[in-house]
Amino acid sequence: MLENFVASLAEWILSISNGEIMWVAFYAGLFVALMTSLGAMVAIFAKSLPEGGVDFALSFAAGVMIVAAFTSLILPAIESTGSFAPAGIGIALGVLLIYAIDRFLPHEHLVKGYEGPKSMKDKLRKVWLLVIAVIIHNLPEGLAVGTSLVYNLEVGLVTTIAIGIQDFPEGTVVSLPLATIQKKRLQPIAMGVLSGFAEMAMVLLGAYFLTLFAWLLPYGLGLAGGAMLYVTVKEMIPEIYRGENSDTLITLGFFLGFYVMLFLDSMLG
C-alpha cells in the first residue's frame, strides 16, 4: 500500500512536470523551503519552545539525516556502479567541502559559539552568524534531495518527504532563538524563510549539475551523503549534547527521527 502511494505520487509529479526532472526538483525544493518557512512562522505565536525543545528538534533532524545519508545516498551510489570507489571518493569530497565551508565561512552556533575566521567575528551581526550556521546545515539536505531525485524519482520523493518533515522543527529552531534577541518578530521569520530557500537553491543546483553530467551521479550521491554525515556528526550531535537538557529526551528525539526516515524508506519495499 505504501509503495503504491509513492509510485502514484511519482506518476503525478511527472505528469505535472511534463517529465522534466528540473521541474520535479523545483517542486521538491519548494516543498522543503515551505516546510522550513512554516516552522519559522511558529515564532509569531510562541515566545519560546518548551524546555529541551530546541535540542529535541535538532536531535530528530540528526536521526533523519543519518538514515537518509545511507539509504538514499551512499548505498544507492554503491549499487549504481557495483563498486565502492565512486561512493568513497564522493563521501571524502563531501566531508572536505563542508569542512572548508565550516572553517572559512563565519557562523555561530547556539551552544558552541563562533566558528570561522577570527577576523570576521565582529564584522557580522549575531543574527546573521546564526543564520549562516543554519544555511550550512541546510546545504547538504538540499543537495541530498536534488541528487536522489536524479538517481531515482521514488527514492528522491521519499527523501524529500523526510527532509521536509525535519525541516519544520529546524525552521522553528532557526526563528525562535533569533526572536529572543530581536524586538521585531518578522526579521527572525524572514531569516528562517531565507534558510529554507537556500536549501531549495541547492536542490536545483544538485539536480541540474547531475542531469548535465550523469556519469558523475555516483560521486554526487556520495558527496551529498558525506556532507550530511559531516554536518550531523561534527556539528549537530555535539551541539545538542553540550546543552544542559535531558540526555534521554535528546536520544529519544534522535531515534524518533531515525525511525521516521527508516519507515519512509521502507515505502519502497
Side-chain angles (χ1 to χ4, degrees):
M1 181 178 178
L2 294 176
E3 300 119 344
N4 292 336
F5 168 76
V6 176
S8 298
L9 179 62
E11 185 177 346
W12 178 72
I13 290 288
L14 281 174
S15 67
I16 65 172
S17 304
N18 294 320
E20 294 289 335
I21 190 62
M22 287 308 302
W23 276 110
V24 175
F26 174 81
Y27 294 131
L30 187 61
F31 172 72
V32 296
L34 289 176
M35 290 296 286
T36 305
S37 302
L38 289 173
M41 290 178 185
V42 172
I44 296 177
F45 307 103
K47 293 183 179 180
S48 63
L49 283 172
E51 185 177 356
V54 169
D55 288 342
F56 182 85
L58 287 176
S59 62
F60 175 86
V64 170
M65 290 172 69
I66 284 284
V67 178
F70 285 98
T71 61
S72 299
L73 299 165
I74 294 173
L75 293 180
I78 295 172
E79 292 168 1
S80 66
T81 60
S83 170
F84 173 74
I89 292 171
I91 292 169
L93 291 174
V95 169
L96 289 173
L97 173 65
I98 303 301
Y99 170 79
I101 293 174
D102 190 45
R103 180 166 183 177
F104 297 110
L105 193 65
H107 59 285
E108 185 162 339
H109 300 284
L110 292 173
V111 177
K112 293 172 64 178
Y114 179 82
E115 290 186 342
K118 293 182 179 180
S119 60
M120 294 294 294
K121 184 175 181 179
D122 299 321
K123 294 184 179 180
L124 290 173
R125 295 173 59 190
K126 185 180 179 69
V127 171
W128 282 108
L129 291 172
L130 289 169
V131 170
I132 292 171
V134 175
I135 289 176
I136 292 173
H137 286 184
N138 285 357
L139 294 182
E141 297 171 16
L143 192 59
V145 171
T147 54
S148 60
L149 284 169
V150 175
Y151 167 72
N152 181 284
L153 181 56
E154 293 184 5
V155 171
L157 289 177
V158 169
T159 305
T160 302
I161 293 169
I163 295 295
I165 290 171
Q166 61 100 31
D167 273 343
F168 184 91
E170 273 198 348
T172 304
V173 167
V174 177
S175 61
L176 279 179
L178 294 177
T180 62
I181 60 176
Q182 294 286 312
K183 293 181 179 180
K184 297 179 180 179
R185 285 293 176 93
L186 290 181
Q187 185 178 11
I189 294 168
M191 297 298 184
V193 172
L194 175 63
S195 72
F197 279 90
E199 185 174 346
M200 179 181 180
M202 286 305 296
V203 174
L204 294 170
L205 180 62
Y208 181 71
F209 183 82
L210 292 174
T211 300
L212 288 179
F213 303 99
W215 64 276
L216 287 174
L217 182 57
Y219 299 91
L221 289 167
L223 186 148
M228 286 184 72
L229 286 176
Y230 181 90
V231 165
T232 306
V233 174
K234 198 276 182 178
E235 299 286 347
M236 297 180 73
I237 293 178
E239 180 82 358
I240 56 183
Y241 276 108
R242 279 197 182 193
E244 298 179 355
N245 294 307
S246 170
D247 287 355
T248 302
L249 182 66
I250 292 170
T251 305
L252 285 174
F254 174 84
F255 280 105
L256 178 61
F258 183 94
Y259 272 104
V260 165
M261 183 61 211
L262 204 58
F263 171 75
L264 289 173
D265 187 68
S266 71
M267 287 176 140
L268 298 176

